[in-house]
Amino acid sequence: MKKRIGSYPRVRVEGGGRAVVSQAGGVLLVETVHKAGLDTAISAALTPWRKAQAVHDPGKILLDVALAVALGGDCLADVGMLRAEPAVFGPVASDPTVSRLVDTLAGSGEKALKAIRSARAQARQRIWQLAGRAAPDADGTVTVDLDGVLVVAHSDKEDVAPTWKRTYGHHPLMAFVDHGPGGTGEPVAALLRPGNAGSNTASDHITTARLALAQLPKGYRRGRQTLVRTDSAGGTHDFVAWLARRGQWLSYSVGMVITDAIHQHVLKVPASAWTPAIEADGEIRDGVWVAELTGDVLDGWPKGMRLIVRKERPHPGAQLRLTDADGMRLTCFATNTAGRPIAELELRHRRRARAEDRIRAARATGLRNLPLKRTAQNRIWLEIVQIALDLLAWMPILALTGKARLWEPRRLRLRLFTTAGQLVTTGRRRILRLAGHWPWTSHITAALERLALLPSPG
């Protein structure tokens, strides 16, 4: 009787296999690019940067880098994984060509950034139309969440500085469109800032909000149907006034710092004025109450602003702050939404926490670090990261169903994109055969079938 040695079977490895495709599941992202019309839109937008004798189209080069980032890459050189599979991803530029394009676009400053953003906005509008009931504006409203991201730098780069968390790097401010409980979310703005940029800088919030609104279909760039949410970093007079200004009329739900004036008003709120908070299913949330503050605490703020405060029992081990009261943790936010119960508004504001999930996905998709040295280059990198995140958000809402639509980038890569396949050529057709024993092959084939049923641009 022979004893087995080791826990895994021993296999013989040989190189030189033919017609084998790695990252075969990446065809899902390629098809999403086609259906969105992003390839033609970005190629047209970057036409001014194409040289007369150029072999590679600038738009295709930029999209190739974005696809590599979506598949797990974190630097320009990772486009090599696409170059190794020309049958799936087509001809891919060399590393020096990619670097030269990024340098050229970086040297063009805002002109290049505007061109890339216009192509993204054009594709976004088409995706939302194709998505139908799965689109983020299916109920006639759009929610945009603003939040800061700390990106640690491990080498000396332009504009790196100490951060408020005692790290060293950059502090971009980003905006995401919330897809709600049935989906994920997509980036619509990213403002690159030094690491020591202030959290409560109103001008940065206004700039980021403007960039985000420009990415939305025209019907959502102003009006109450667009809700802007932030944490307490956005609770400044200038930013709230900008959101509520005449002609813009945006809805907002903005976290506020508990000042001494707010704290004194909270102490005067009678017990009968506190309303139990609710959960998403409408059930009462245990140990949490909300109340609306009125009176002179609203002086100096835009007309129609409501100030809602929440008190809750702190989690075990949590330290109370000076602004807390009677052993309860206090937080508050401002909104201009009228005619809705304060418990419902508090639930809506609490859902802003989904932005943290979007930031986690961004860190896993090229935002773990900024790989380039100059700020102008890293601004282009941020646009590439956003394109990658767009594709990772658009593909699920067009092609996936059920729980798969909620999968974050890491799970999409492990289950779908890293699938290997065999490329078979019959006549003039090329067929990509996926492993039948792979548990998620059916997800890929069903998703490709749904994408095939969607109309192509033009």
Side-chain angles (χ1 to χ4, degrees):
M1 179 178 177
K2 293 184 178 180
K3 293 180 63 178
R4 288 187 60 187
I5 300 175
S7 302
Y8 298 96
R10 297 178 66 93
V11 296
R12 181 177 177 179
V13 179
E14 294 180 351
R18 294 181 296 175
V20 177
V21 177
S22 61
Q23 302 288 340
V27 295
L28 288 168
L29 298 179
V30 174
E31 287 302 309
T32 302
V33 168
H34 290 327
K35 294 302 180 180
L38 183 59
D39 47 354
T40 55
I42 202 165
S43 293
L46 296 184
T47 298
W49 289 271
R50 179 165 188 170
K51 296 181 180 179
Q53 303 299 323
V55 175
H56 297 280
D57 175 65
K60 171 69 162 56
I61 296 174
L62 206 69
L63 271 179
D64 284 342
V65 179
L67 283 170
V69 172
L71 293 172
D74 62 1
C75 66
L76 296 179
D78 285 335
V79 76
M81 75 171 79
L82 273 63
R83 192 183 302 115
E85 303 294 352
V88 176
F89 301 105
V92 176
S94 65
D95 290 349
T97 301
V98 173
S99 296
R100 283 195 298 269
L101 175 64
V102 171
D103 288 341
T104 301
L105 295 176
S108 299
E110 286 297 321
K111 184 178 179 182
L113 293 174
K114 287 180 180 179
I116 297 170
R117 291 163 183 166
S118 68
R120 290 178 55 219
Q122 182 180 336
R124 191 181 318 281
Q125 182 169 355
R126 174 170 172 77
I127 287 291
W128 288 15
Q129 291 172 350
L130 293 176
R133 293 183 179 180
D137 65 337
D139 62 351
T141 63
V142 173
T143 300
V144 178
D145 293 317
L146 273 63
D147 208 345
V149 186
L150 292 181
V151 181
V152 176
H154 299 283
S155 61
D156 191 22
K157 299 171 184 175
E158 189 176 0
D159 284 338
V160 294
T163 70
W164 60 274
K165 278 196 173 182
R166 297 182 181 180
T167 58
Y168 189 68
H170 295 85
H171 188 190
L173 185 59
M174 299 190 69
F176 302 90
V177 168
D178 184 22
H179 286 187
T184 55
E186 57 192 279
V188 284
L191 181 66
L192 184 57
R193 306 185 299 168
N196 57 1
S199 297
N200 297 97
T201 307
S203 59
D204 290 346
H205 280 79
I206 292 172
T207 300
T208 305
R210 280 179 173 152
L211 293 174
L213 293 173
Q215 282 293 305
L216 305 181
K218 289 186 178 179
Y220 296 102
R221 295 177 185 176
R222 62 177 64 191
R224 288 285 190 261
Q225 70 275 11
T226 301
L227 171 69
V228 176
R229 292 188 301 204
T230 73
D231 57 10
S232 58
T236 60
H237 284 78
D238 290 345
F239 183 55
V240 174
W242 181 85
L243 291 170
R245 72 178 184 176
R246 182 180 295 275
Q248 194 149 268
W249 311 117
L250 295 168
S251 296
Y252 60 82
S253 185
V254 177
M256 303 290 285
V257 175
I258 302 288
T259 63
D260 183 64
I262 293 175
H263 188 254
Q264 294 302 319
H265 274 73
V266 171
L267 297 178
K268 298 176 183 178
V269 175
S272 59
W274 291 97
T275 301
I278 59 174
E279 298 286 5
D281 57 3
E283 295 293 325
I284 292 178
R285 191 178 188 194
D286 185 44
V288 186
W289 297 267
V290 292
E292 183 170 0
L293 303 183
T294 57
D296 59 2
V297 73
L298 298 176
D299 291 349
W301 294 94
K303 184 179 179 181
M305 190 183 91
R306 304 173 68 184
L307 192 61
I308 298 172
V309 64
R310 176 182 69 188
K311 68 176 183 179
E312 61 181 326
R313 299 190 186 101
H315 299 293
Q319 297 292 321
L320 291 174
R321 299 168 295 190
L322 293 176
T323 53
D324 295 332
D326 299 327
M328 306 290 282
R329 173 63 52 85
L330 298 180
T331 56
C332 74
F333 68 96
T335 182
N336 60 348
T337 302
R340 292 176 64 176
I342 58 176
E344 183 179 332
L345 295 175
E346 189 273 336
L347 173 63
R348 184 185 71 175
H349 184 75
R350 199 185 332 136
R351 285 172 171 161
R352 195 206 65 82
R354 283 198 284 252
E356 300 297 332
D357 298 331
R358 308 288 76 78
I359 291 174
R360 183 174 62 251
R363 292 186 189 279
T365 311
L367 205 60
R368 181 179 61 85
N369 69 304
L370 298 178
L372 305 173
K373 185 174 180 62
R374 293 189 292 117
T375 295
Q377 295 172 318
N378 282 322
R379 287 198 177 103
I380 300 298
W381 178 259
L382 270 184
E383 295 301 319
I384 292 172
V385 168
Q386 289 180 87
I387 294 173
L389 290 169
D390 280 336
L391 295 177
L392 292 172
W394 293 344
M395 187 276 290
I397 66 174
L398 291 181
L400 298 181
T401 59
K403 292 183 178 179
R405 188 176 290 174
L406 297 172
W407 288 351
E408 292 192 356
R410 287 177 178 173
R411 182 161 292 183
L412 288 172
R413 292 172 193 136
L414 286 171
R415 295 187 174 183
L416 303 185
F417 302 153
T418 57
T419 305
Q422 182 182 21
L423 192 65
V424 179
T425 302
T426 58
R428 296 183 179 181
R429 295 190 305 166
R430 290 182 299 177
I431 301 173
L432 189 61
R433 291 178 177 171
L434 305 178
H437 66 275
W438 187 249
W440 300 282
T441 292
S442 60
H443 284 76
I444 301 173
T445 54
L448 289 171
E449 289 173 0
R450 294 187 190 98
L451 288 171
L453 295 174
L454 298 175
S456 298

